Amino acid sequence: MGDDLAGTGPRVTLRTVARSLGVSAALVVAYYLLPMDERFDGGTVTALVLGLIAVTALFLWQVRAIVRSPHPELRAVESLAAVVPLFVLLFATSYFLVERASPGSFTEPLTRTDALYFALTVFSTVGFGDITAHTGTARVMTMIQMVGGILLVGVAARVVVKAVDTARRRQDPKNR
């Protein structure tokens, strides 16, 4: 996501919205197309941890891009359009792999769509209760997602707002 948000007005906004939707859609398509034949084991746990580290690194890189952007609000939209779906899809993948490795980890077998649905339900804190974590491993992963989601929505949102404010102040001629 280079900073090619040059210009102003509706074209820039439309480009940002289109790019944001494109990134989110590409992540979902990748989720459905990537082979997930591995068993859930130590390597998968390591991949989940590395994935969470990657989401954090992506977020920090995006905050830096927001601060430097001539259009920080639009850059913030792009940033969230990449980080939030990646976070949710990372957990959906983990739930899917846990259920494949240990059937009965959830109250019903999970397809990729079911795993994504469960991850979104947990992230949004709706908690319909139709799918619940049944085993200790599934419950621990769900708790990690809950804490991560709270941090992403609470702390990360605050950081993004602060980055936008910093960029605005930097661009304001009165502050020079």
Side-chain angles (χ1 to χ4, degrees), residues 28-133:
V28 172
V29 168
Y31 168 75
Y32 279 102
L33 294 180
L34 288 174
M36 290 194 229
D37 299 328
E38 295 185 25
R39 295 194 51 80
F40 190 86
D41 57 13
T44 312
V45 171
T46 301
L48 174 61
V49 170
L50 291 175
L52 290 172
I53 291 169
V55 168
T56 303
L58 173 64
F59 175 72
L60 294 174
W61 179 76
Q62 292 287 359
V63 167
R64 186 173 165 214
I66 292 167
V67 170
R68 295 179 174 186
S69 175
H71 304 285
E73 298 89 352
L74 296 177
R75 177 59 72 193
V77 168
E78 278 190 296
S79 298
L80 293 174
V83 171
V84 172
L86 188 57
F87 177 82
V88 171
L89 290 167
L90 185 64
F91 278 96
T93 300
S94 299
Y95 297 140
F96 178 76
L97 293 174
V98 163
E99 179 60 27
R100 287 196 57 195
S102 188
S105 291
F106 296 88
T107 51
E108 61 183 68
L110 299 183
T111 64
R112 287 181 197 227
T113 301
D114 295 331
L116 180 56
Y117 167 81
F118 180 71
L120 280 169
T121 302
V122 171
F123 181 76
S124 67
T125 70
V126 173
F128 292 121
D130 53 345
I131 300 174
T132 59

